[in-house]
Amino acid sequence: MAPFVWGGAEELAVHFVRNLRIMGHEAELLRLPFQWDPFDNIPAEIARFKTMRLPNVDRVISMKFPAYLLPIENQTTWLIHQYRQAYDLWSSPYSNLPHDWRGELVRDVIRSHDDHYFVNQRKLFTISSEVSRRLKEFNGVDAPALRAPINDPHLFIGGDSYDYIIAPGRINASKRQYLLVEAMQYLPSTARLIVAGPPETEADAMRLRNSVAEFNLEDRVILDMRFLDREELAEYVNHAVAVAYLPYHEDSYGYVTMEAFQASKPVITTCDAGELLELVTDEHTGLVAEPDPQSLAACIAQLFYDRKQAAEMGAAGHALWRSKNITWEANISTLLGLD
Amino acid sequence: MKIGVISSMVPHIDGGYRMFVNQLVPELERAGHVVEVVWLPFSSDPKTMLSEMLGFRMMNLDDIFDLVICCRPPAHVVKHRRKVVWFIHHERVFYDLWDSEHNTIPKSAYWKGFRAQLMRADTKCLREAHAVFSNSQVVADRLMAFNAIAAEVLYPPLAGDVQFDSNAHGAELAFVCRIEEHKRQHLAVKAMSFTKSPVRLRIAGRSQNPNYLESLQSFVELNRLRDRITLDHRWISEGEKRHLLANALGVVYIPVDDDSYGYPTLEGACAERPIVTVSDAGGVGEFVEDGISGLITAPTPEALGEAFDRLWDDRMLAAKLGEGALRRINELSIRWDHVVARLTA
């Protein structure tokens, strides 16, 4: 971890520990700081992790580089990600490792430690098929993906559909809520869209507000742009006709998709959304549009004006999602080797 | 200020230091600071201790925090330009317990050398600190004796609301803490067989040591004390504890040479109960003054039993000592605002 940084990985770890306790285990979260800046100190950081001892535990589950390098017996790794700058991000602009002999040396040190650990680690899982794929490509190891489950399935119980489509979640350019707002101009005035979630930047919020004004959609598009608590969010989803979620090339199903199906709502997405297309199949569990406003408008209209079909797709989505058995109970059994 | 609170820890084991850290964080935040806790596992195993400490020292905290507050050792070995240490104990087998029966480390040349090295490391790292505090006078004295470091005593306050209920002083003494040999519940139980008044004793707390618990139970049975002693071996909730204290005759806390006055003492004082302790209880004596905020007796069942009787016979005295105990909290500045002010000064 890095002090003062809190994100998806931290949330996942907290929920993981909470669910371990629910299942009757004594569990504690340990967040060990790792500093990757300056880059040439990374080998010393690896050495530092190797000096650590972890007393009084029966089992350790490590989730990130370099936590799994602690010298511990009886360790299971549930990998969120490796040090990506040494792998798939090496040649991207996001790498902090310079492309000279020093950067290459640090990269190779990281890779050799990983290779050594992974090749001897039988209890190795990842959080997505993309992470598994990278592990195979770069380190030559096979590791099954155990996807992160939803954390409060009891809230997403479904319910009567009121007259709106919901687009929940963080608002930013790569989630493309703006395409949905633009699509609304092509729909009859009875159709309604609610965008609910915290905007990442003021520019993201502005873009949606401007679109609404430009196409005179004030009475048809509700922009509820703030951090909603879980109950509020579930209430929106439970009473929607359908859920719209348009991430760009995402490496996971996304909580939005999983929660929609938990609540038996069909999902409208685009053909470039990434891994969630494994769950959202066109005309079966939802509708897959081209990433443009007209194509999306057609999908929204189809579900909005045929509630019976929307309900059937929602039910199919629910059945498909449940058949995957992505739950904390199942994951924890696998991680602890109890199944 | 961006503050890092650094502490070592042992997974799944609670201790006073965790309570201190977990309460310190919101108190620092209330004072306007941004705080992150860094918990570092530490084995206390002499075989790996020094390399673990080296690992602590390798962290580069300068870029992240404006100030680091180091709590449970060896957190004090971390490097930072502005490091404040709240020191709670040495690795005692290498310090004051080296020549005691508690030390199982052989006094070979290797371990003597190791001990010297550990002391040097501690001293060097403590000298780097911007300020060193200790949680008790006992620990401050040891810092002076072994490391030549002058530490200011900064007593740990209670977590949570310190406004305790306080009712009339009843007929039962409360002895609430873990039931372990070194807490000496056996001494209190034996003292009960010397009492002349109908004073009652309630022992409450969890025990990790079934043999010890059993020995207490059988003593109670054999001496027919069952109607005057309640042995409640479970963890009691905060609310239950406060109710118990609010109506107790007094609080008994008699550990063997404890480093600090202990939370039971402080809780008793918050509820205006007199604290009954013994002369070799260590840090408890820093808090309790005999005849002012409680009673200090010789560590014998007879003397302790006499003190129990005194409180039962004289409720006015119990009330007076209870008031004294509450006053003592203020006298020693056992308050979070004081702790925060000193640590961030």
Side-chain angles (χ1 to χ4, degrees):
Chain A
M1 68 101 156
F4 305 119
V5 177
W6 192 264
E10 283 75 13
E11 284 291 329
L12 179 65
V14 167
H15 285 295
F16 185 21
V17 169
R18 187 171 60 84
N19 281 281
L20 279 165
R21 290 179 182 158
I22 289 171
M23 288 179 71
H25 303 286
E26 275 183 68
E28 188 161 8
L29 175 61
L30 204 49
R31 302 172 59 230
L32 301 170
F34 162 61
Q35 283 166 297
W36 52 87
D37 184 37
F39 80 94
D40 53 3
N41 199 45
I42 291 177
E45 284 286 274
I46 293 172
R48 178 169 72 79
F49 271 71
K50 294 197 168 191
T51 65
M52 284 195 230
R53 295 293 179 274
L54 200 46
N56 200 39
V57 287
D58 302 320
R59 188 71 68 91
V60 173
I61 297 163
S62 48
M63 301 182 79
K64 260 188 177 183
F65 176 86
Y68 49 73
L69 297 178
L70 259 68
I72 292 164
E73 308 257 320
N74 222 346
Q75 178 172 201
T76 301
T77 295
W78 189 22
L79 193 65
I80 294 178
H81 54 72
Q82 297 172 262
Y83 191 67
R84 294 183 57 189
Q85 285 89 331
Y87 293 100
D88 58 306
L89 297 183
W90 166 254
S91 40
S92 80
Y94 305 109
S95 183
N96 71 330
L97 305 177
H99 283 208
D100 57 18
W101 68 271
R102 296 181 317 155
E104 282 170 11
L105 187 66
V106 171
R107 179 197 64 188
D108 293 344
V109 166
I110 293 168
R111 288 185 174 196
S112 69
H113 278 282
D114 276 355
D115 282 339
H116 183 259
Y117 173 73
F118 289 134
V119 82
N120 293 309
Q121 175 54 281
R122 311 192 91 93
K123 291 172 289 185
L124 179 61
F125 304 89
T126 73
I127 61 155
S128 77
S129 42
E130 177 58 22
V131 177
S132 292
R133 193 195 57 72
R134 281 189 220 130
L135 210 50
K136 180 74 180 166
E137 180 187 340
F138 293 106
N139 307 87
V141 224
D142 290 299
L146 280 182
R147 292 170 184 281
I150 56 179
N151 293 307
D152 33 25
H154 59 282
L155 292 179
F156 295 87
I157 50 175
D160 295 343
S161 295
Y162 302 159
D163 282 338
Y164 62 85
I165 304 280
I166 179 80
R170 212 151 31 93
I171 296 165
N172 64 30
S174 79
K175 305 280 185 189
R176 299 185 288 188
Q177 286 88 351
Y178 64 90
L179 283 178
L180 292 165
V181 175
E182 288 167 25
M184 290 304 285
Q185 66 181 299
Y186 301 108
L187 284 155
S189 59
T190 47
R192 279 205 302 160
L193 171 73
I194 300 176
V195 179
E200 203 159 280
T201 64
E202 186 47 38
D204 292 312
M206 239 13 224
R207 182 168 189 181
L208 297 191
R209 279 194 212 105
N210 289 345
S211 252
V212 168
E214 184 183 344
F215 304 114
N216 291 317
L217 296 169
E218 284 85 356
D219 52 345
R220 289 189 270 154
V221 174
I222 297 171
L223 298 178
D224 193 357
M225 294 192 287
R226 65 194 165 93
F227 186 86
L228 290 87
D229 67 40
R230 301 292 298 160
E231 283 76 12
E232 278 182 293
L233 184 73
E235 184 74 9
Y236 267 144
V237 172
N238 287 335
H239 296 293
V241 173
V243 172
Y245 184 49
L246 326 173
Y248 180 68
H249 288 302
E250 202 163 72
D251 290 344
S252 66
Y253 290 162
Y255 286 113
V256 172
T257 318
M258 298 189 288
E259 287 161 0
F261 286 154
Q262 181 70 33
S264 303
K265 301 295 172 181
V267 173
I268 297 169
T269 189
T270 51
C271 55
D272 57 358
E275 237 167 87
L276 68 85
L277 293 169
E278 284 178 26
L279 285 183
V280 185
T281 48
D282 198 28
E283 300 286 343
H284 175 229
T285 60
L287 295 173
V288 180
E290 295 297 318
D292 64 66
Q294 289 92 338
S295 176
L296 279 163
C299 292
I300 293 171
Q302 187 180 336
L303 293 181
F304 202 86
Y305 296 108
D306 186 346
R307 300 297 167 83
K308 187 165 163 292
Q309 191 190 30
E312 282 165 8
M313 286 185 184
H318 184 76
L320 176 66
W321 160 243
R322 293 306 298 266
S323 75
K324 302 260 177 191
N325 196 25
I326 300 173
T327 62
W328 277 115
E329 288 82 357
N331 278 11
I332 287 171
S333 294
T334 306
L335 288 167
L336 297 181
L338 305 173
D339 52 355
Chain B
M1 240 187 322
K2 283 164 96 174
I3 300 179
V5 177
I6 322 286
S7 179
S8 73
M9 58 91 79
V10 179
H12 308 302
I13 296 198
D14 277 336
Y17 70 92
R18 283 211 198 201
M19 286 217 285
F20 181 82
V21 170
N22 289 335
Q23 190 64 24
L24 177 61
V25 171
E27 298 290 343
L28 288 168
E29 285 171 344
R30 196 165 309 147
H33 303 291
V34 188
V35 190
E36 176 91 73
V37 184
V38 178
W39 290 111
L40 298 168
F42 183 65
S43 74
S44 292
D45 179 352
K47 289 200 284 292
T48 54
M49 189 187 287
L50 287 180
S51 68
E52 288 176 71
M53 285 164 69
L54 184 67
F56 280 36
R57 208 158 164 71
M58 283 168 73
M59 275 193 303
N60 173 17
L61 302 169
D62 271 321
D63 300 340
I64 306 172
F65 302 115
D66 303 318
L67 165 72
V68 300
I69 298 173
C70 308
C71 292
R72 183 175 183 262
H76 64 283
V77 306
V78 303
K79 273 187 177 167
H80 193 272
R81 63 183 183 280
R82 188 155 170 222
K83 168 168 95 175
V84 167
V85 177
W86 185 68
F87 199 80
I88 57 173
H89 60 70
H90 288 91
E91 280 302 326
R92 292 186 61 189
V93 291
F94 292 106
Y95 279 86
D96 57 305
L97 299 181
W98 178 254
D99 288 315
S100 75
E101 76 273 24
H102 299 289
N103 182 17
T104 54
I105 307 257
K107 285 181 184 143
S108 61
Y110 173 80
W111 288 111
K112 280 182 184 162
F114 180 94
R115 181 184 188 225
Q117 203 177 348
L118 179 69
M119 285 180 161
R120 260 202 315 278
D122 281 340
T123 303
K124 175 176 159 53
C125 296
L126 287 166
R127 264 202 210 125
E128 293 168 355
H130 180 71
V132 178
F133 299 91
S134 73
N135 62 336
S136 71
Q137 192 58 49
V138 181
V139 171
D141 291 346
R142 277 188 215 131
L143 280 169
M144 181 49 81
F146 292 104
N147 310 96
I149 296 282
E152 176 183 332
V153 180
L154 198 56
Y155 290 110
L158 284 181
D161 180 17
V162 292
Q163 296 293 323
F164 280 49
D165 283 341
S166 174
N167 303 328
H169 291 75
E172 189 173 66
L173 294 161
F175 192 162
V176 187
C177 65
R178 281 179 295 134
I179 300 177
E180 300 294 342
E181 190 116 31
H182 66 275
K183 299 289 188 188
R184 282 198 287 202
Q185 277 86 1
H186 59 276
L187 185 56
V189 167
K190 283 184 185 145
M192 285 298 284
S193 64
F194 288 95
T195 53
K196 302 188 176 62
S197 69
V199 63
R200 293 176 42 83
L201 172 69
R202 178 178 288 265
I203 291 173
R206 244 194 313 217
S207 183
Q208 309 273 22
N209 184 347
N211 293 337
Y212 183 60
L213 190 63
E214 212 169 287
S215 74
L216 293 177
Q217 280 159 340
S218 64
F219 186 90
V220 171
E221 289 299 324
L222 286 172
N223 292 277
R224 300 203 170 79
L225 288 165
R226 216 168 54 180
D227 55 340
R228 291 176 52 222
I229 298 179
T230 307
L231 254 175
D232 197 0
H233 62 101
R234 65 192 170 92
W235 181 84
I236 63 170
S237 72
E238 188 63 24
E240 198 180 348
K241 180 167 65 191
R242 288 184 178 215
H243 176 77
L244 195 64
L245 294 175
N247 299 291
L249 173 61
V251 162
V252 182
Y253 192 55
I254 49 175
V256 183
D257 194 22
D258 217 349
D259 278 354
S260 71
Y261 47 67
Y263 286 113
T265 307
L266 205 49
E267 286 163 348
C270 282
E272 290 186 64
R273 302 297 109 174
I275 316 298
V276 183
T277 190
V278 288
S279 52
D280 63 350
V284 187
E286 290 176 38
F287 187 93
V288 181
E289 319 119 293
D290 189 31
I292 300 172
S293 43
L295 297 173
I296 304 178
T297 77
T300 64
E302 295 86 344
L304 199 58
E306 212 182 299
F308 291 179
D309 280 339
R310 261 183 86 189
L311 290 179
W312 197 90
D313 291 338
D314 189 352
R315 304 296 160 91
M316 295 283 282
L317 174 69
K320 194 191 88 178
L321 297 179
E323 280 170 29
L326 183 63
R327 212 166 35 234
R328 188 71 174 146
I329 297 176
N330 260 324
E331 249 169 58
L332 295 175
S333 302
I334 307 176
R335 298 188 318 271
W336 280 109
D337 59 345
H338 177 71
V339 169
V340 167
R342 295 303 298 143
L343 290 176
T344 56

